Amino acid sequence: MSTEQIEVVGVEAIVRDLAKCAAAEQILTAAKATLKTRLQQELRRGTVYAFDYPGEGMDPIQLGYATIPKPAQPRPQVDIDDEARVLVWAVEMFGESAMTVRLTEQGRASVIAYALDRHTAAGTPAVFDAVDGVIVRLPQARPAAPRFTPAKNVVELVRGMVARGALSFADLIAIEEGRP
């Protein structure tokens, strides 16, 4: 065997290891998505902490926590769908400083602020014609998404679990496949 062939085998071994890492990353990404879906089904709102129990007489070690926050309230979006129509109104309302050939940034900001005030005064309907040429839309609320925050030393902690036999890569594959 020549030196070149050994080097190719060595490089091939590195590439094989990269392929293994890519596969593990894909499996773990799928497992994480599955677990977040299950978490959202089980926990509607709140925080749950995860602990490792290293052994008799030892205190539990926090691995991290998952949080599902209160669903965010959507903010109204102002669409100036016909600037030519709103320009006349803006000049009457805010003066010549509201325009050049188009609305200035300040004029646009003033129109948006006014439209949001009118929208709020009208009881925040889903769609509201605030001013001629300006529509305020209230988008659908998105459900709160689960977030997991690992402990700062989670890698060290999980490696300890693997060393004790409390966790294996096969356990992670089982999560991705939907097994407990």
Side-chain angles (χ1 to χ4, degrees):
M1 217 181 232
S2 74
T3 308
E4 289 176 3
Q5 289 174 328
I6 293 171
E7 203 168 317
V8 170
V9 171
V11 171
E12 183 181 344
I14 293 170
V15 174
R16 286 173 53 95
D17 287 345
L18 285 171
K20 293 173 195 175
C21 289
E25 185 176 32
Q26 289 177 18
I27 289 168
L28 293 174
T29 298
K32 190 174 181 180
T34 298
L35 290 171
K36 281 189 172 185
T37 299
R38 287 174 48 196
L39 178 66
Q40 193 162 22
Q41 291 169 350
E42 298 289 325
L43 180 66
R44 294 289 173 213
R45 186 168 172 218
T47 301
V48 175
Y49 294 87
F51 295 95
D52 177 31
Y53 302 93
E56 284 292 316
M58 298 180 76
D59 290 334
I61 300 169
Q62 182 180 327
L63 296 171
Y65 61 93
T67 302
I68 297 186
K70 177 172 87 172
Q73 293 299 318
R75 295 167 68 186
Q77 296 175 338
V78 177
D79 296 326
I80 298 176
D81 58 348
D82 188 345
E83 196 169 291
R85 289 190 340 220
V86 79
L87 192 58
V88 174
W89 173 86
V91 170
E92 288 176 12
M93 186 72 174
F94 305 114
E96 293 288 322
S97 67
M99 68 168 255
T100 55
V101 175
R102 305 174 39 118
L103 282 173
T104 63
E105 286 302 313
Q106 179 183 355
R108 186 175 190 81
S110 296
V111 169
I112 289 171
Y114 181 84
L116 288 172
D117 286 344
R118 295 266 324 260
H119 178 254
T120 301
T124 63
V127 178
F128 179 70
D129 289 325
V131 177
D132 191 24
V134 179
I135 297 172
V136 179
R137 289 184 176 83
L138 191 60
Q140 292 289 331
R142 293 182 305 191
R147 291 187 305 244
F148 175 73
T149 306
K152 289 187 186 334
N153 60 342
V154 72
V155 172
E156 176 186 322
L157 297 172
V158 169
R159 283 182 174 158
M161 292 172 70
V162 170
R164 287 193 325 273
L167 177 70
S168 72
F169 190 70
D171 296 333
L172 299 176
I173 293 172
I175 292 169
E176 190 266 333
E177 293 173 350
R179 290 182 273 160

